[in-house]
Amino acid sequence: EHGCRFKLDFARVYFNSRLQGEHARLVKQIVKDAKKSNGNDMTKECIVVDAMAGVGPFAVPLTSANASHFRETRIVCHANDLNPVSYEYLHVNARGNRCFMDRLMMYNLDARLFIRKMNEEGVGVDHFIMNLPQLAPEFLDAFRGWKFRGDGKRPVVHVHCFGEKARTAVETALVERQVQERCEKALGCPGRFSESITPEDEFRVHVVRDVGPRKNMLCVSFRLPHEVGGLEKIELPNAGKGSSAEESGAAGNSSKRDRTDESGSFAEAESHDSKRNKE
């Protein structure tokens, strides 16, 4: 896909070749945003956090040394996946596509714990990618209690989900309101988008592809609302106890990878992944 080669086992990880257009679209959009914000200043970074990275269809092309933007725009990606097999192949694909350890960091954590970790460690995130269509919007509750950067900049969140297929302008507006309310509920900010949206929120819904007679896959993008910063954080399993999962760059030692995350077993990770395969 777009100049990168991926190795994977379809029986053990999620990968859909029909999404290569969406992979290319979002990568292009993030690169464009990075160039607009930072120009060709390689001392400035555009930081992307891919919370459900799979085998790397977003993270790898964003950070590959083979990419045309590599020497013009500095993009750093923190990529995570709960499935330890996906995590293994993420390492394989990072090495195979020359993603260096100062550009791509990899994690094997529960997505909510991972999002919390990024904030607690002060990572100045510009873009979040949450590509788990069946469940991703519900993971937005991990942003409650978010500590915003000193400059007040709000990261852009890209959430993939499913929605009803609209055939008229009225139905399109209804679908958009439904996804707005779903995101609001998880964020803990009722009415934030559906009732008091502003142009600065940059809220938009992109139809990714047709997945059934009455269902589309969607990508919902918006700037994280400041209101989440005043909310109480949700309680997470093992929060504050640290994680034994390895965090590593592509050029790092990949021989010592935990087979499970503290938040669940390998079987649970496989189950997490199988839900994606059903779609």
Side-chain angles (χ1 to χ4, degrees), residues 93-140:
N93 294 323
R95 289 194 297 270
N97 290 282
R98 301 178 65 224
C99 300
F100 303 130
M101 62 187 304
D102 65 330
R103 297 289 187 98
L104 178 57
M105 282 67 78
M106 291 165 277
Y107 308 75
N108 179 208
L109 297 167
D110 172 84
R112 287 186 174 90
L113 288 171
F114 173 64
I115 291 169
R116 177 78 57 82
K117 177 183 177 68
M118 294 292 99
N119 195 216
E120 291 178 345
E121 295 187 353
V123 178
V125 186
D126 294 293
H127 291 267
F128 278 96
I129 301 174
M130 301 174 70
N131 181 29
L132 186 62
Q134 187 68 22
L135 300 170
E138 280 61 56
F139 281 79
L140 291 170

Side-chain angles (χ1 to χ4, degrees), residues 38 42 44-46 70 72-76 102-103:
N38 303 333
M42 293 296 284
K44 296 181 179 179
E45 296 177 340
C46 173
F70 182 80
E72 300 174 356
T73 306
R74 185 175 179 82
I75 295 177
V76 174
D102 65 330
R103 297 289 187 98

Side-chain angles (χ1 to χ4, degrees), residues 248-268:
S248 162
N253 179 9
S254 59
S255 63
K256 298 180 181 178
R257 301 188 189 110
D258 289 349
R259 304 308 300 181
T260 62
D261 173 61
E262 287 185 346
S263 61
S265 66
F266 177 83
E268 289 172 330

Side-chain angles (χ1 to χ4, degrees), residues 31 48-49 54 67 69 111 145 174 206:
V31 171
V48 179
V49 168
H69 64 265
L174 178 61
H206 171 76

Side-chain angles (χ1 to χ4, degrees), residues 43-274:
T43 65
K44 296 181 179 179
E45 296 177 340
C46 173
I47 300 179
V48 179
V49 168
D50 191 349
M52 300 127 174
V55 300
F58 292 111
V60 169
L62 278 169
T63 58
S64 172
N66 299 328
S68 59
H69 64 265
F70 182 80
R71 291 176 177 79
E72 300 174 356
T73 306
R74 185 175 179 82
I75 295 177
V76 174
C77 185
H78 296 263
N80 170 74
D81 202 272
L82 174 64
N83 184 346
V85 181
S86 294
Y87 173 72
E88 293 278 352
Y89 279 111
L90 181 57
H91 273 269
V92 170
N93 294 323
R95 289 194 297 270
N97 290 282
R98 301 178 65 224
C99 300
F100 303 130
M101 62 187 304
D102 65 330
R103 297 289 187 98
L104 178 57
M105 282 67 78
M106 291 165 277
Y107 308 75
N108 179 208
L109 297 167
D110 172 84
R112 287 186 174 90
L113 288 171
F114 173 64
I115 291 169
R116 177 78 57 82
K117 177 183 177 68
M118 294 292 99
N119 195 216
E120 291 178 345
E121 295 187 353
V123 178
V125 186
D126 294 293
H127 291 267
F128 278 96
I129 301 174
M130 301 174 70
N131 181 29
L132 186 62
Q134 187 68 22
L135 300 170
E138 280 61 56
F139 281 79
L140 291 170
D141 59 7
F143 289 103
R144 297 184 189 183
W146 186 263
K147 296 177 183 177
F148 287 88
R149 288 160 25 178
D151 59 7
K153 186 176 181 180
R154 299 187 289 162
V156 179
V157 183
H158 307 278
V159 186
H160 290 89
C161 63
F162 295 117
E164 293 184 20
K165 188 175 294 181
R167 293 174 173 80
T168 67
V170 173
E171 290 181 353
T172 298
L174 178 61
V175 170
E176 182 168 318
R177 186 175 181 85
Q178 288 172 343
V179 296
Q180 286 175 339
E181 291 176 346
R182 189 177 175 189
C183 291
E184 291 169 349
K185 181 178 179 180
L187 288 168
C189 303
R192 180 59 182 79
F193 297 129
S194 58
E195 297 175 10
S196 57
I197 195 168
T198 67
E200 289 72 27
D201 291 322
E202 298 180 26
F203 191 99
R204 55 190 179 276
V205 178
H206 171 76
V207 177
V208 175
R209 72 182 190 95
D210 181 324
V211 295
R214 294 194 56 80
K215 184 164 69 172
N216 281 330
M217 178 178 173
L218 310 171
C219 180
V220 183
S221 300
F222 56 87
R223 288 202 176 271
L224 188 66
H226 278 128
E227 286 82 350
V228 298
L231 300 175
E232 183 178 351
K233 294 181 179 181
I234 62 169
E235 185 176 347
L236 297 177
N238 301 316
K241 297 182 181 179
S243 171
S244 60
E246 181 201 16
E247 303 160 18
S248 162
N253 179 9
S254 59
S255 63
K256 298 180 181 178
R257 301 188 189 110
D258 289 349
R259 304 308 300 181
T260 62
D261 173 61
E262 287 185 346
S263 61
S265 66
F266 177 83
E268 289 172 330
E270 289 270 315
S271 175
H272 188 312
D273 205 60
S274 68

